[in-house]
Amino acid sequence: MSTPRIRQPSMRDVARASGVSYQTVSRVINDQERVHPETRARVLAAVDALGYHPNSAARALVTGRGSTVAVVASNTSLYGYARTLEGIEDAAFAAGYTVNITVLRSPDQSDRADAVERLLSQPLAGLIAFTHDDLARSAVEDVPSRMPAVTVFGTGAGGRAHILLDEEGGARAAIRHLLDLGHRTIHHAGVPPLLPSGRLLGWRATLEEAGVPRPEPIPVTWEPRSGYEVGSAIARQHDITAVFAGNDDIATGIVRALIDSGRDVPGDVSVIGFDDTPLAAYTRPSLTTVSQDFVELGRRAFDLLHGLIEQDDQPAGPTVLPTHLVTRESTGPPRR
Amino acid sequence: MSTPRIRQPSMRDVARASGVSYQTVSRVINDQERVHPETRARVLAAVDALGYHPNSAARALVTGRGSTVAVVASNTSLYGYARTLEGIEDAAFAAGYTVNITVLRSPDQSDRADAVERLLSQPLAGLIAFTHDDLARSAVEDVPSRMPAVTVFGTGAGGRAHILLDEEGGARAAIRHLLDLGHRTIHHAGVPPLLPSGRLLGWRATLEEAGVPRPEPIPVTWEPRSGYEVGSAIARQHDITAVFAGNDDIATGIVRALIDSGRDVPGDVSVIGFDDTPLAAYTRPSLTTVSQDFVELGRRAFDLLHGLIEQDDQPAGPTVLPTHLVTRESTGPPRR
DNA sequence: CTGAAAGCGCTAACAA
DNA sequence: TTGTTAGCGCTTTCAG
């Protein structure tokens, strides 16, 4: 039926081939000092000749710790998450770790338990969770605290090391920009979070500080289509002159709807995005948006975890990475 | 310094707690039949009480096979790749597998060897490689043939099971659409592949069959910015009336450059994209493009691998998934 | 500097 | 139906 399993060469094979004991091979493989250079050379030659690869399962079994970090997220293909993942993978690879992904697709309790179960059965070194929504957040809480973990995005969870982008600062800058332009208030089309997001908080706080009306947030999903639907509705309310969208995709949908409805952007309505995706500079109009370095976020998240794994140095507070406003064509002063 | 490692409960602990031998526990865990229901219940209770998780490293060590599939790619954040990854993860999770990602970032020989080395040291069940470029392609060739593997995109490699999207068919439909509209020829702005891509082949063949001039492909990168640069150049060549872009991002960059240069799309120049990203329907003009189901591609790729792992059934030929043209605003008849 | 022995947690024979 | 015995490939004492 299936091919008889062919054994990969083991340390014993290498030992036999180079005429030493397999413990000596282990020392060579693990770069320990106390090996005669000549012996080392002989062993290395045998390793090469046999095409030997250390077996990380066996190693994990005896050391009790793997060299894999798991990334837990509810989505890995949206721009920001995909790029963050890329950053994690980059830093992890450089540090000799391997990256595992687990997508939490349903809020279903048993589904989540299953995922966590599976996570923990692997020989993990640590775990990075995207806690922008409640899925990963509750998963983190199911993970025993002895497992090193860092949370990325949102509010964190379980008292874990936490790193995030300064979404609140970005939102503040965005709203201030619009206010400075002369808009009386700014509407917000955002994905309803269970816990208020930095974007929401920054928006709300800035309006409040300016003493201007604070309209109800308009709920959307992350799809451009959803932005389009909201945009069509906004087009009918001529008192709305500025919209702060949850991300660039939503903003693009809104812009398109507005223009399809005969309204001008930014002439009639200013629209601001979030994320600064590669496309944001090339849509028409190009988007004023908040730029975030997701790749750096991912790298730093891994570094944080790495510190936890190696020295158990728990950072005092959350790490906040800067964001900045990029002004483009989609915002302007309101029509007088 | 670092916390003393706390042992997770092992089978022995469960055995002790439930008053059976640990092999019986093994039977229960692995859902084998020959266990007294009562014993089973007792064991399960102990599992629950202790919070026992099977150790997959130990299991992999003895069975010689892991339950992890590795995905090897040169990029995981571009829309198509990110979505394909999502499809793989989805199917893998459903089948009880875990997904590992390895990004091949440099064509450097030793770098690649390092990555493959690391891959093979894990207890893998199999491997999925994105062979759209030469990086993953040569990595696959470094992997011993005993390891089940499937290649996705491009031309495949190493005689492995291969699944891809019908990019050639998509390109043909796109070019035919443009030709039918009355364009005399169609230029192609594509990312130069080492081996001709389906997009390139479909474009070239369709032009050839139509007996129209076949201009040199215009090299770009996957960035919208690159599309913009190419678009600026195209804007100066008033004999170009139709451009087939390598993907939607490039198309968007081209469109923007064209319009910035005072040319109309599709009035002066028709632009066609590829991928049908969520945004393609909402840019201005919206993009005529070729739609591809990346998530399905990912799922099917995993299924293929799964078949290889479980029954070693090597498919006869490559699996080709359909693509289809979506006509929107960015294409139209040439000005007479 | 090198070798011998033990055992990580598990599955797969085989025995009872 | 359950228990016994090996041993997967490796690192870690501890001897030499």
Side-chain angles (χ1 to χ4, degrees), chain A residues 199-213:
Chain A
R199 303 176 197 200
L200 186 74
L201 293 173
W203 163 73
R204 187 184 282 157
T206 308
L207 290 186
E208 188 166 347
E209 284 159 23
V212 303

Side-chain angles (χ1 to χ4, degrees), chain B residues 309-325:
Chain B
I309 292 169
E310 307 254 279
Q311 351 262 343
D312 196 22
D313 43 48
Q314 187 80 25
T319 307
V320 181
L321 263 34
T323 57
H324 66 273
L325 183 70

Side-chain angles (χ1 to χ4, degrees), chain B residues 241-282:
Chain B
T241 66
V243 181
F244 169 51
N247 74 3
D248 290 342
D249 282 10
I250 295 169
T252 304
I254 292 176
V255 167
R256 174 76 205 215
L258 250 14
I259 290 171
D260 283 354
S261 304
R263 315 220 66 212
D264 185 48
V265 179
D268 296 310
V269 185
S270 283
V271 178
I272 204 160
F274 217 95
D275 287 354
D276 195 22
T277 63
L279 230 41
Y282 299 94

Side-chain angles (χ1 to χ4, degrees), chain A residues 298-316:
Chain A
R299 286 204 194 98
R300 297 281 299 272
F302 176 81
D303 290 347
L304 221 47
L305 181 64
H306 200 199
L308 245 37
I309 293 169
E310 307 254 280
Q311 352 261 342
D312 196 21
D313 42 49
Q314 188 78 24

Side-chain angles (χ1 to χ4, degrees), chain B residues 32-317:
Chain B
Q32 290 187 249
E33 282 316 308
R34 333 251 71 248
V35 178
H36 194 91
E38 205 172 282
T39 313
R40 173 186 304 273
R42 209 142 30 93
V43 169
L44 255 19
V47 163
D48 229 50
L50 298 176
Y52 166 80
H53 304 284
N55 179 321
S56 68
R59 183 178 290 173
L61 186 57
V62 49
T63 60
R65 189 142 57 196
S67 60
T68 296
V69 313
V71 175
V72 182
S74 62
N75 180 299
T76 56
S77 65
L78 282 172
Y79 179 75
Y81 305 139
R83 295 283 284 173
T84 305
L85 184 58
E86 195 174 305
I88 292 172
E89 205 279 338
D90 191 44
F93 186 85
Y97 287 77
T98 262
V99 175
N100 221 285
I101 60 175
T102 301
V103 176
L104 264 24
R105 60 207 80 240
S106 113
D108 186 54
Q109 166 67 34
S110 78
D111 216 52
R112 205 184 66 218
D114 193 28
V116 171
E117 176 84 5
R118 198 123 31 114
L119 268 180
L120 296 180
S121 75
Q122 298 174 252
L124 288 188
L127 174 117
I128 297 178
F130 290 1
T131 48
H132 53 90
D133 64 19
D134 225 46
L135 248 50
R137 197 179 300 127
S138 51
V140 169
E141 272 151 11
D142 292 352
V143 168
S145 61
R146 101 183 77 93
M147 167 81 68
V150 354
T151 54
V152 186
F153 298 113
T155 51
R160 302 303 199 143
H162 185 208
I163 183 166
L164 73 166
L165 297 160
D166 185 17
E167 299 190 15
E168 182 168 345
R172 283 177 175 275
I175 303 306
R176 243 180 280 118
H177 164 69
L178 256 10
L179 254 19
D180 289 350
L181 245 21
H183 295 274
R184 311 272 319 239
T185 190
I186 290 92
H187 283 68
H188 176 46
V191 177
L194 271 84
L195 267 50
S197 70
R199 302 174 198 202
L200 187 74
L201 292 174
W203 164 72
R204 188 184 281 157
T206 310
L207 291 186
E208 189 166 345
E209 286 158 23
V212 302
R214 289 183 291 134
E216 273 300 300
I218 306 163
V220 287
T221 70
W222 292 122
E223 305 300 310
R225 164 185 214 95
S226 172
Y228 190 87
E229 284 158 12
V230 164
S232 304
I234 290 174
R236 279 176 241 116
Q237 301 176 245
H238 283 213
D239 55 317
I240 299 183
T241 66
V243 181
F244 169 51
N247 74 3
D248 290 342
D249 282 10
I250 295 169
T252 304
I254 292 176
V255 167
R256 174 76 205 215
L258 250 14
I259 290 171
D260 283 354
S261 304
R263 315 220 66 212
D264 185 48
V265 179
D268 296 310
V269 185
S270 283
V271 178
I272 204 160
F274 217 95
D275 287 354
D276 195 22
T277 63
L279 230 41
Y282 299 94
T283 53
R284 295 197 311 133
S286 61
L287 296 174
T288 293
T289 187
V290 176
S291 181
Q292 324 196 73
D293 192 342
F294 292 109
V295 174
E296 176 68 10
L297 175 67
R299 285 204 195 99
R300 297 282 298 270
F302 176 81
D303 290 346
L304 223 46
L305 181 63
H306 200 199
L308 245 37
I309 292 169
E310 307 254 279
Q311 351 262 343
D312 196 22
D313 43 48
Q314 187 80 25

